[in-house]
Amino acid sequence: MKCLVYIAGDVTSYATTNYEFEGKEFNTFFSAHALAKLLDPQKIVALLPDSLVVHDNSTAQDLPILIKGYKNMILNRSNQLFKDENMKKDVEDFVNKIDVRVIPNVGSGQAYYVDKEGKLLSEGQKYKRNPYYTERSPVFIFNVIYSIFNELSKSCDEIIVDLTHGTNVLVSVTMAVGSLFNCRFVAAPIMGTPGNKVSVVELTEVVKAMKDSLAITYSIEKVDERYFRDYSETLRKLNPSEFKEMKELIGKIKSDDPNKVINFLKNLRNGFALEGVKSMKELKDYINELENDVNSLSMAYGEWYNHAYFENENRIVLSHFYSTIKVKDLLYSGNDLEVLEKILDLYIKVGYYDKAISLARELPVAFCLNSRGGGTYSDDDKNYKECDEIVREYLEGSSMLQFRNILMHGSLSKDLKAEVKEGRIELRNKIKLSRIEDYILKKLEKDYQNTKNEVTKTNT
C-alpha cells in the first residue's frame, strides 16, 4: 500500500498554483492535495502540530475538535479559492480521506482558535488567534512521530513524506524519523506568492546520501566492512567530458575504488591482521591521493557559481569520499610487529575480543623469534618450538589461554567442561562473557606486555 504523510500547515493564505511532479501537474493551493492527486496513495496521514489549532482544554480532551478544526481550515480556503463545484468536491473528498494525527510542536507562535464545533472564529478581517509557547524535548517529538511511522510501516509498502509546510523543528525531526523507514521525501519550494508552477523536489537521495555516509563512517570506526556502502558503481556512470575544465579531476574521482578500503576492513575483521598490515602502505598512498582530489572537488563546489554543470549532478556525494578518508585513522606506521601491536589495541577498542586475545597469545612468539634472529611458525623450526613453549609456560598463570580457548571454540571447550548427551549440551563450568570482557579490557594488555618482555629476554 502506498501512503502519503504530510506535515499540516496554515493553508488560510495559500494561493493556487500548478504543482508539477514526475512529469504530471495538478492545480491546487497546497502540496499535499496535489500529491494525493498525482500519486494516488491508498492512505493519507496529516501530522497536525498542536501549534496550529487550539481550543479551550487539553489536547487529549480537545482532540476531535482540533482535527475537525484543521479540516474546516482546508475547506474554508477551498471555498474562498474555487468557484468550480467539482474542484470543491475534490478537496472535500481529500479532506474526508485524511487520517489526522495531532503531534507535539515546540516554540513560539500564534495558533488558530476553534470553537467546540471545530469552526475557525473571525475577528474582523482575520481569524481569531491564541498565543502558542511550548518547551519540549525534541526527542519526545521524535518518539511521537516515530510511533506513527512505525505503525504505518506495518501496512504501507512505501511512504511518501511531504515536508513542505512543516516548521523547522518538525521538518528536521520528521526527516530523521522517516530515514529509518522505507520513505520518499518531497517538498515544494514555494518562497512567497507562487507563480504559475512549482516543481516538487525529491529529497530522498539527500537522505540516502546522509545514511550511506554515516554507514561508511561507522564501518571504519567499528572495523566492519559489512556496513560500508560501495559507491563505485554510481561513479562509473560519470562522463568526465561533461565537466569541461574539471574533466581530468572527475576522471580521477570516477576511478576511485572504495573496495581497497572494504577489503582492508574485511581482513582486519576476520583476523587476517597481517594481510591488513601488508596493505597499509598501498592504502596510505591511495587515501592521500583521494584526499587531494576530493579537496579540489570540494573547492569547486564552494565556487559552485563557476561550475554550472554540477547543478543537476546527484552521483557525486562529497561526504562519501570524506567518510572513506577516515580510514586514515587505521593506517599505522612502524615495522610489522609494531603495527600488529597497534592492531591488537584496535581489536580491544572495537570489541573484537576473540581476535584480540588470539593476537595477544601469538604476538609474543613473534617478538621472541625476532629477538633470536628470526624463525618460522612451524614445528620444524627450533626457534619457534622454543618460543611457543616459553610463551605457553609463562601464560599458564594468566587467564589468557583459558579465555582464548573458550572464545575460539564457541564455548565447546574443556575449560567449560561441555558435556554432550542425548542431543543436549550442558556447561559444567560456567564462565560469563562479562568476566572475559572485563579481563580483555583491563588486564589483557598488561599480560601481553609482560609476556613479550619476558620472552624476548630468553634469546639464547
Side-chain angles (χ1 to χ4, degrees):
M1 180 167 66
K2 183 190 296 183
C3 300
L4 172 65
V5 177
Y6 73 97
I7 305 174
D10 175 8
V11 302
T12 58
S13 60
Y14 289 176
T16 58
T17 188
N18 285 315
Y19 287 88
E20 185 273 333
F21 188 61
E22 295 183 337
K24 297 182 290 184
E25 293 184 12
F26 186 74
N27 186 279
T28 186
F29 61 100
F30 69 115
S31 59
H33 181 218
L35 290 168
K37 295 295 293 184
L38 297 175
L39 299 176
D40 192 26
Q42 285 74 53
K43 186 177 181 63
I44 303 171
V45 176
L47 304 179
L48 173 62
D50 68 343
S51 57
L52 184 59
V53 181
V54 295
H55 185 52
D56 294 330
N57 304 304
S58 68
T59 301
Q61 289 178 298
D62 289 339
L63 203 60
I65 297 174
L66 303 182
I67 292 171
K68 194 172 182 180
Y70 172 64
K71 291 185 175 185
N72 283 333
M73 179 186 290
I74 298 174
L75 294 173
N76 287 353
R77 189 56 179 162
S78 173
N79 290 330
Q80 293 168 357
L81 291 172
F82 299 124
K83 295 180 180 179
D84 187 334
E85 293 300 322
N86 290 330
M87 193 62 188
K88 291 181 181 179
K89 178 65 165 55
D90 193 273
V91 175
E92 186 177 339
D93 290 343
F94 169 82
V95 167
N96 290 334
K97 193 176 180 180
I98 303 172
D99 176 7
V100 180
R101 308 291 185 92
V102 178
I103 61 172
N105 200 1
V106 63
S108 178
Q110 294 285 322
Y112 285 91
Y113 180 82
V114 294
D115 64 17
K116 63 181 180 179
E117 303 298 326
K119 295 180 180 179
L120 279 73
L121 301 182
S122 297
E123 281 189 339
Q125 299 297 315
K126 298 180 180 181
Y127 290 117
K128 182 179 178 180
R129 309 288 288 271
N130 274 13
Y132 175 92
Y133 181 81
T134 303
E135 294 182 358
R136 290 181 172 122
S137 163
V139 175
F140 166 69
I141 300 173
F142 178 96
N143 287 338
V144 171
I145 296 177
Y146 183 94
S147 71
I148 296 170
F149 275 75
N150 187 52
E151 175 197 332
L152 293 174
S153 68
K154 294 175 173 59
S155 56
C156 300
D157 301 313
E158 181 185 33
I159 302 174
I160 299 103
V161 184
D162 179 14
L163 302 166
T164 301
H165 304 299
T167 62
N168 49 9
V169 172
L170 292 182
V171 167
S172 301
V173 172
T174 304
M175 208 168 185
V177 170
S179 69
L180 303 175
F181 297 90
N182 182 29
C183 293
R184 291 175 64 188
F185 300 89
V186 297
I190 297 178
M191 296 159 279
T193 304
N196 293 328
K197 185 175 81 171
V198 59
S199 293
V200 177
V201 176
E202 175 110 27
L203 299 170
T204 309
E205 286 299 314
V206 174
V207 176
K208 182 180 182 300
M210 175 197 70
K211 290 169 66 176
D212 287 351
S213 296
L214 288 174
I216 292 170
T217 298
Y218 187 80
S219 173
I220 292 170
E221 288 177 348
K222 296 302 180 183
V223 194
D224 192 334
E225 85 292 343
R226 292 169 296 183
Y227 296 100
F228 204 100
R229 300 294 186 265
D230 184 358
Y231 47 84
S232 57
E233 185 63 32
T234 301
L235 293 179
R236 279 195 283 270
K237 297 175 183 177
L238 291 171
N239 181 1
S241 62
E242 295 177 354
F243 296 84
K244 299 181 181 179
E245 75 281 357
M246 300 288 292
K247 66 180 181 180
E248 183 178 347
L249 177 61
I250 297 301
K252 294 172 71 177
I253 292 294
K254 178 181 179 178
S255 64
D256 176 42
D257 183 12
N259 282 291
K260 296 178 187 291
V261 176
I262 293 171
N263 290 333
F264 171 69
L265 296 173
K266 182 183 291 186
N267 280 326
L268 291 184
R269 179 180 66 83
N270 285 290
F272 281 66
L274 198 55
E275 290 297 320
V277 172
K278 298 305 180 186
S279 65
M280 280 189 185
K281 185 178 187 307
E282 177 186 356
L283 202 52
K284 280 180 184 177
D285 294 338
Y286 164 74
I287 291 297
N288 287 335
E289 185 175 351
L290 175 63
E291 186 172 25
N292 289 334
D293 291 341
V294 176
N295 285 339
S296 298
L297 186 62
S298 182
M299 290 175 62
Y301 272 97
E303 298 175 351
W304 58 272
Y305 36 81
N306 293 326
H307 308 287
Y309 39 76
F310 283 139
E311 288 185 0
N312 295 308
E313 180 55 64
N314 63 359
R315 292 165 294 187
I316 298 174
V317 182
L318 278 177
S319 57
H320 287 175
F321 303 114
Y322 280 113
S323 292
T324 301
I325 290 168
K326 292 181 186 296
V327 79
K328 289 176 69 174
D329 295 339
L330 306 183
L331 304 181
Y332 307 126
S333 299
N335 64 38
D336 290 354
L337 291 176
E338 292 168 339
V339 172
L340 282 173
E341 283 195 311
K342 294 173 183 176
I343 291 176
L344 170 58
D345 291 337
L346 176 66
Y347 282 156
I348 295 172
K349 176 183 175 184
V350 298
Y352 286 175
Y353 299 138
D354 57 335
K355 309 296 185 300
I357 205 165
S358 295
L359 193 54
R361 161 63 179 88
E362 298 300 334
L363 256 184
V365 177
F367 276 94
C368 177
L369 288 173
N370 195 59
S371 70
R372 293 176 175 224
T376 302
Y377 277 65
S378 169
D379 288 336
D380 296 330
D381 188 296
K382 178 176 178 292
N383 276 346
Y384 170 75
K385 290 185 69 174
E386 291 183 359
C387 286
D388 188 59
E389 187 61 31
I390 293 168
V391 170
R392 184 179 297 278
E393 289 178 1
Y394 188 82
L395 287 174
E396 286 297 332
S398 78
S399 300
M400 189 187 297
L401 295 181
Q402 179 192 29
F403 290 163
R404 175 183 177 274
N405 289 339
I406 293 171
L407 290 177
M408 297 304 295
H409 297 160
S411 296
L412 299 177
S413 168
K414 291 184 291 185
D415 295 280
L416 294 180
K417 298 290 188 294
E419 180 181 329
V420 183
K421 188 176 183 179
E422 297 178 350
R424 298 175 64 247
I425 300 177
E426 294 288 341
L427 300 180
R428 298 302 181 190
N429 181 21
K430 294 184 179 180
I431 296 178
K432 291 184 177 180
L433 178 60
S434 58
R435 182 179 164 193
I436 300 176
E437 182 179 26
D438 189 64
Y439 167 76
I440 291 173
L441 292 175
K442 297 178 180 178
K443 298 180 180 178
L444 178 62
E445 180 69 24
K446 180 181 178 182
D447 282 353
Y448 161 73
Q449 290 293 344
N450 288 341
T451 304
K452 183 188 80 170
N453 293 336
E454 288 298 322
V455 300
T456 52
K457 294 176 184 176
T458 61
N459 57 0
T460 57

